[in-house]
Amino acid sequence: GAWARRGCSMSADRCVLRSREVRLVRRPVGMPDPDDFALAEVEVPAQPAPGRVVVRNSWFSVDPYMRGRMRDVVSYAPVVQIGEVMPGGIVGEVVKSNHPNYAVGDIIEERLGWQEYGVSSGTARKIDPKLAPISTANGILGMPGLTAYFGLLEVGQPKPGDTVVVSAASGAVGQVVGQIAKLAGCGAVGIAGGPKKCAFVRDELGFDACVDYKAAGDLTAALTAACPDSIDVYFDNVGGPVTDAVFANLNFWARVAICGSISQYNASEAEFGPRTPGFFVGRRVTTRGFIVSDFLTRFPFAMSRLGGWVRSGKLKYREDIVDGGIAKAPEAFIGLLKGDNFGKRQVRVGPEPAGLPKF
């Protein structure tokens, strides 16, 4: 379609493809604003350079970590510069290839960002569309699923009979954490906001309990009631007052896996929290922050296990789809930071390739 608008065909080597992308044009102060982003149109050569492929994106992901990359502060990932395309995972179809490992029609996952078409340098992960809907490559069978897998099993190190608590339990990572905890023989308690999310976590995902932090009043007491034997493993996605309440309920020799702190991402200055070192010493608590890429060499094995659990029905998932194309990206991202997503949030950039299996 984009080639046709220029009077070209996809087989023409000298044609130019028009593609739209979302750029960061202003650094947010506090919660991002739609005016921090701009939609731009760019040209993508229909014939890629040697070693590269042109990808038409069907899906792209919005994730909390992107907020940190919008700050002009050195971190584990490069800062998004003013005028650059917003980062993020995509799932799409190879439409032109000049790379020996990729053919036209291949479905791939890559970090190409918020754009309709992108150019991959040959680092993309090929997706088997027969295993699950291709959108899952941005979710349970992608970065969020791997984050849950390694964060719980490698950092949290649960043992059968342990009580595992996860915040943001209905989100892309949290929903997987609790289910893997159950597969490991543990009790799973979620923390989520609102009765619908808590009902989903408890009734559909099979957690033992879910605490509604918006309605709990005294969250520390609510967690004490939900976890009468205290908490052995805490998978932290949110930070802030929720994490304070969990810390008050940690068991001796507890393990804390710090994945994220979405409650803090829009803070203009650091917030004060409880003074925990003495508490952690007394209860011998182990706390570790982690990034999923710490486990890069073990991704294939983990992906095999996750895929098997999804195919067998042992792992369930929920996606939160935003329709409307590339222009909806800022709205989808800002809503995610406000907590209005229900499951793994993705933007439908364009139609999926024809002929994919139905699930």
Side-chain angles (χ1 to χ4, degrees):
W3 268 284
R5 291 196 297 269
R6 293 287 299 247
C8 297
S9 68
M10 287 176 59
S11 61
D13 289 346
R14 294 188 178 181
C15 284
V16 174
L17 169 66
R18 308 296 297 186
S19 175
R20 294 181 298 168
E21 62 187 27
V22 176
R23 299 174 178 174
L24 179 68
V25 295
R26 185 178 67 185
R27 298 209 181 278
V29 177
M31 181 68 68
D33 183 270
D35 290 338
D36 297 330
F37 309 92
L39 193 64
E41 190 174 83
V42 296
E43 293 185 351
V44 180
Q47 181 60 30
R52 296 180 181 272
V53 299
V54 176
V55 183
R56 182 184 67 80
N57 301 333
S58 295
W59 303 95
F60 69 74
S61 176
V62 291
D63 299 282
Y65 80 88
M66 296 171 182
R67 179 62 183 87
R69 295 189 62 181
M70 298 167 75
R71 294 192 180 96
D72 193 11
V73 177
V74 176
S75 184
Y76 65 89
V79 174
V80 182
Q81 300 301 320
I82 298 300
E84 284 188 346
V85 178
M86 279 294 295
I90 66 90
V91 179
E93 177 186 19
V94 174
V95 294
K96 273 284 187 174
S97 177
N98 200 356
H99 193 293
N101 297 335
Y102 299 89
V104 171
D106 282 348
I107 310 299
I108 61 95
E109 180 271 328
E110 174 70 292
R111 308 279 109 181
L112 296 183
W114 298 1
Q115 50 188 338
E116 293 174 321
Y117 286 79
V119 178
S120 172
S121 60
T123 58
R125 173 170 63 106
K126 288 185 182 181
I127 303 302
D128 183 351
K130 296 188 294 293
L131 298 181
I134 64 172
S135 59
T136 58
N138 271 337
I140 195 168
L141 297 182
M143 182 269 289
L146 291 168
T147 299
Y149 180 93
F150 288 110
L152 178 64
L153 298 181
E154 297 296 325
V155 181
Q157 298 184 0
K159 301 183 294 293
D162 280 351
T163 297
V164 175
V165 170
V166 56
S167 51
S170 67
V173 174
Q175 60 183 268
V176 185
V177 169
Q179 293 180 86
I180 295 178
K182 295 297 293 182
L183 290 173
C186 300
V189 175
I191 304 172
K196 289 184 178 180
K197 291 183 178 181
C198 281
F200 167 72
V201 167
R202 185 181 57 249
D203 301 336
E204 294 190 41
L205 299 183
F207 285 46
D208 297 291
C210 187
V211 176
D212 183 352
Y213 74 88
K214 292 183 177 179
D218 186 342
L219 185 54
T220 299
L223 283 167
T224 301
C227 309
D229 295 323
S230 298
I231 297 166
D232 301 294
V233 180
Y234 175 44
F235 194 108
D236 187 9
N237 287 309
V238 302
V242 169
T243 293
D244 296 346
V246 174
F247 281 176
N249 283 278
L250 290 178
N251 220 333
F252 285 82
W253 309 103
R255 286 82 67 201
V256 178
I258 303 178
C259 176
S261 53
I262 193 172
S263 70
Q264 314 290 299
Y265 288 164
N266 295 305
S268 56
E269 57 185 44
E271 298 179 6
F272 288 102
R275 305 297 190 265
T276 57
F279 172 83
F280 282 3
V281 169
R283 298 196 182 183
R284 288 74 154 186
V285 174
T286 300
T287 304
R288 175 181 165 188
F290 75 98
I291 305 298
V292 67
S293 57
D294 297 344
F295 307 95
L296 186 62
T297 60
R298 297 164 62 191
F299 278 11
F301 176 75
M303 192 64 71
S304 176
R305 294 191 78 188
L306 288 167
W309 288 333
V310 170
R311 289 192 299 277
S312 68
K314 292 180 179 179
L315 277 187
K316 301 176 182 178
Y317 64 94
R318 180 174 182 139
E319 296 179 318
D320 184 288
I321 305 303
V322 176
D323 285 305
I326 191 77
K328 289 290 187 178
E331 176 186 324
F333 178 58
I334 293 168
L336 172 78
L337 295 177
K338 292 180 177 179
D340 68 10
N341 63 300
F342 195 161
K344 169 58 192 165
R345 174 156 286 189
Q346 301 198 60
V347 176
R348 194 192 312 267
V349 191
E352 290 190 341
L356 294 182
K358 303 296 184 183
F359 292 93

